[in-house]
């Protein structure tokens, strides 16, 4: 059984080659069709609450109802509704109202996403939404794949046999929606957008429902219904005039109704005059092209805003400066510099005025038009210095709360934040991993946006620090999109801040992100640049970190002598610095390169002190990896008994931690050991178990290695036909990846099996391809394989 196949499947974000063994496929993603959760399927219920005082829309509801009533969905035509119309016309209200009436038809649950197509920030990418949906459906964050196409495939696979309702709110165009569409006719998707979404209608057969402004009668009904509990019988003529001033747009009507309900003793005619005054003001300030619905809404916004108590009005303006449309109470309190109870009271005032929407779990959200209006009011009414102080307080709150989260989520890989930006009064603290991760998951969009906003708003020093603080969280949860984007911003921000040490940290982060996404040339350039800066600064610790990163890159590319030299240099520096954990990690990395080079006795001597150190530190994952490597080294040194003790201890750790990722990987070393001991039947069982785990985890690279190992066990059992089939599967899987060494090994094994079966031409083709791949490597294992293949090919 081939040594080393897959051992250099390293995690580029970690300090060590195996220090964070997650179910990541660093070859670019996971095999989405093969992810099968062991736990019962999660049934998400994500519908937001329906709109109070929903009025009519009977014609539109009747048209939408046809999708459910006539079973329109077929394998060729998926049930898809698109609700279009101008801003504030009630698209989301209609979608949610209808969704609540039909949710019983969809026992598989409901997924909801705001695509933010017309927010101040960029629309949310389909890849980000898919990642969130996958986690909502029970996929661990570490197993969400990198590429958008694979996320699509996994999403459709997971919901293929479920009847689900998917609400995609506020789409910018058809292209944003298509990747999010289920593939099953049992699922119904409802999309809202200001765009006509003609592409979805033409290509996906969507039912389009265009919303117009309310007819006068329905607008009056909405106003009367919303104010009935608070006001006497207002004259129909006054209600009609109020509706006209609101352009009969539901958003404006609801805000106006709330204002009227708040002043029950004031005649409606007087309120109308106030609104007319605001309209006149807007007519002076706006151009002819802007007249109409948007103009009417601005007037209503101003009318309602002026009625707010001063503290609530100030908070409204402050929230217009928040990086995102949606936020929680702690962030609001930190941004405003007030106690949470005071912030909650003011938020309640804004919700009551329909200037803010309440969301589940203590969250609040702006309509994008209201957020733009709030930001505009802040620019007009608050000085630049005050706005800058508010934004800095907000960004600092996110920085320090993210620091608290990383300290719990990834304590061994955290970045140690300096005191350049003092902590605000109320950053959150987390006692448990689950709390910290849930906060990160909820705020992930705001965190990535905060990095960008900080860089664009004159806080480059804060921008790169926030990005680097988030690095440890990103690397532990495969947040590839945010990791890459924030790291790029951080590199530029650190340059503008004139902080070379920060530039090196940002380059390190970008390099690790690039390594993880297999942009290996970019990863090399980033780590070399970071190394040059750190050497110039005299930063010995940073130098050692960068040298280690280059070693990991060499190991990944199977440049083993280069990797070994880097690991030795880095280890020497950490030993000099008396950093015990980093020294142990580098000893593990060095031992792996020694195992790959066939220097097993050296590897054993290197691993034993590292293993002892990990036990003292209580780092169970690194201890298990050291035992895994020790088994490999002991096996190579022909000490099967000691090797057995090591891998048994490693697997015991995986069992105690209930970590299937570790178990699936370490089982293959146990299988290699059993084959070396002359127990191919046991080896075959272990390979099969490993392959099954990897298939469930979606790790194609390691599944291919397990299939190949099973083939070698079958060859030892004389089951050559079965072996050839297993090797073919391994080859097919490796071809979809970039692992040239693993592919070469699998092709060699296939050539051996085919030769025994007498299939000489196919054996020759596989052998020749394997030799061509092996020619790129200069290590002893590659040379030995090449010699064996030459002998095989000579025998013909």
């Amino acid at each position: 059984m081939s040594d080393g196949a897959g051992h250099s499947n390293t995690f580029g974000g970690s300090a060590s080659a195996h220090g964070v063994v997650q179910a990541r496929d660093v070859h670019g993603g996971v095999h989405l069709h093969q992810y099968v959760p062991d736990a019962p399927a999660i049934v998400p219920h994500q519908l937001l609450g329906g709109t109070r005082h929903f009025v009519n829309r009977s014609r539109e509801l009747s048209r939408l109802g046809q999708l459910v009533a006539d079973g329109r969905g077929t394998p060729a035509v998926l049930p898809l509704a698109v609700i279009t119309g101008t801003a504030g016309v009630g698209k989301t209200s209609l979608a949610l109202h209808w969704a609540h009436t039909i949710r019983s038809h969809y026992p598989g649950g409901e997924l909801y996403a705001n695509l933010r197509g017309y927010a101040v920030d960029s629309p949310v990418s389909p890849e980000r939404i898919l990642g969130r949906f996958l986690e909502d459906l029970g996929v661990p964050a570490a197993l969400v794949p990198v590429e958008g196409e694979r996320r699509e495939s996994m999403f459709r696979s997971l919901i293929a046999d479920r009847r689900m309702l998917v609400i995609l709110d506020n789409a910018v165009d058809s292209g944003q929606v298509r990747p999010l569409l289920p593939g099953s006719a049992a699922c119904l998707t409802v999309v809202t957008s200001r765009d006509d979404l003609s592409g979805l209608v033409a290509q996906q057969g969507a039912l389009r429902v265009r919303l117009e402004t309310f007819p006068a009668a329905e607008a009056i009904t909405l106003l009367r219904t919303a104010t009935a509990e608070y006001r006497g019988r207002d004259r129909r003529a006054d209600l009609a005039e109020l509706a006209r001033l609101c352009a009969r747009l539901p958003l404006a009507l609801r805000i106006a109704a709330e204002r009227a309900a708040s002043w029950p003793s004031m005649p409606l005619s007087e309120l109308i005059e106030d609104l007319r005054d605001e309209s006149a003001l807007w007519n002076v300030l706006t151009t002819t092209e802007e007249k109409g619905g948007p103009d009417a809404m601005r007037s209503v916004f101003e009318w309602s805003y002026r009625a707010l108590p001063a503290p609530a009005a100030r908070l409204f303006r402050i929230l217009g400066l928040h990086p995102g449309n949606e936020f929680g109470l702690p962030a609001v309190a930190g941004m405003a510099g007030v106690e949470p109870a005071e912030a909650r009271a003011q938020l309640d005032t804004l919700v009551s005025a329909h200037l803010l929407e309440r969301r589940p779990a203590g969250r609040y959200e702006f309509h994008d038009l209201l957020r733009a209006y709030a930001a505009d009011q802040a620019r007009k009414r608050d000085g630049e210095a005050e706005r800058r102080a508010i934004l800095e307080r907000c960004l600092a709150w996110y920085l320090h709360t993210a620091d608290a989260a990383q300290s719990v989520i990834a304590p061994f890989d955290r970045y140690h934040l300096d005191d350049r930006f003092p902590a605000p009064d109320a950053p959150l603290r987390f006692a448990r991993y689950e709390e910290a991760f849930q906060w990160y998951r909820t705020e992930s969009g705001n965190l990535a946006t905060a990095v960008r906003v900080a860089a664009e708003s004159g806080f480059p020093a804060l921008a790169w620090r926030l990005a680097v603080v988030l690095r440890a969280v990103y690397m532990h949860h495969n947040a590839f999109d945010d990791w890459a984007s924030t790291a790029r911003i951080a590199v530029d921000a650190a340059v503008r801040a004139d902080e070379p040490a920060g530039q090196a940290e940002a380059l390190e982060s970008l390099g690790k992100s690039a390594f993880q996404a297999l942009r290996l040339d970019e990863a090399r350039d980033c780590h070399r640049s970071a190394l040059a800066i750190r050497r110039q600064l005299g930063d010995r610790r940073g130098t050692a970190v960068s040298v280690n990163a280059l070693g990991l890159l060499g190991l990944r590319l199977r440049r083993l002598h280069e990797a070994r030299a880097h690991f030795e240099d880095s280890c020497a520096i950490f030993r000099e610095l008396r950093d015990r954990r980093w020294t142990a990690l580098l000893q593990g990395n060095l031992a792996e390169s020694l195992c790959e080079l066939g220097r097993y006795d050296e590897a054993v001597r290197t691993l034993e002190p590292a293993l002892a150190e990990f036990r003292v530190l209580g780092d169970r994952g690194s201890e298990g990896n050291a035992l895994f490597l020790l088994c490999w080294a002991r096996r190579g040194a022909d000490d099967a008994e000691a090797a057995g003790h090591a891998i048994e201890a490693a697997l015991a750790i995986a069992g105690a931690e209930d970590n299937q990722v570790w178990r699936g990987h370490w089982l293959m070393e146990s299988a290699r050991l059993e084959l070396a001991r002359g127990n191919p039947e046991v080896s075959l069982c272990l390979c099969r178990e490993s392959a099954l785990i990897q298939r469930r985890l979606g790790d194609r690279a390691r599944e291919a290695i397990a299939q190949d190992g099973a083939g070698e066990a079958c060859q030892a059992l004389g089951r050559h036909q079965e072996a050839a089939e297993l090797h073919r599967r391994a080859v097919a899987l490796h071809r979809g990846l970039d692992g040239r060494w693993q592919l070469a090994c699998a092709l060699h094994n296939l050539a051996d099996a085919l030769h025994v079966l007498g299939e000489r031409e196919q054996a020759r083709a596989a052998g020749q391809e394997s030799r061509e791949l092996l020619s790129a490597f200069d290590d002893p294992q590659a040379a030995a394989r090449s010699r064996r293949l030459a002998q095989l090919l000579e025998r013909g």
Side-chain angles (χ1 to χ4, degrees), residues 15-36:
S16 72
H18 295 284
V20 184
V21 184
Q22 304 262 351
R24 298 169 171 84
D25 180 353
V26 297
H27 303 278
V30 296
H31 187 25
L32 308 184
H33 287 96
Q34 295 183 338
Y35 176 82
V36 182

Side-chain angles (χ1 to χ4, degrees), residues 392 396 399-400 417-424 459-463 465:
E392 182 175 4
L399 172 66
H400 284 277
L417 183 64
D418 61 17
D419 59 359
R420 168 70 183 276
F421 294 92
F459 298 103
L462 198 155
R465 283 174 172 81

Side-chain angles (χ1 to χ4, degrees), residues 62-80:
S62 177
R63 290 195 64 211
L64 290 168
Q66 295 171 11
L67 283 176
V68 178
D70 63 10
R72 177 170 173 167
T74 69
V77 180
L78 301 176
L80 171 62

Side-chain angles (χ1 to χ4, degrees), residues 211-240:
L211 281 192
E212 306 294 342
T213 58
F214 273 148
E218 291 187 13
I220 291 170
T221 299
L222 173 56
L223 289 171
R224 196 181 293 282
T225 303
T227 60
E229 297 178 19
Y230 307 96
R231 300 182 60 85
R233 187 80 175 173
D234 289 310
R235 294 191 316 125
R236 183 177 180 84
D238 289 338
L239 291 170

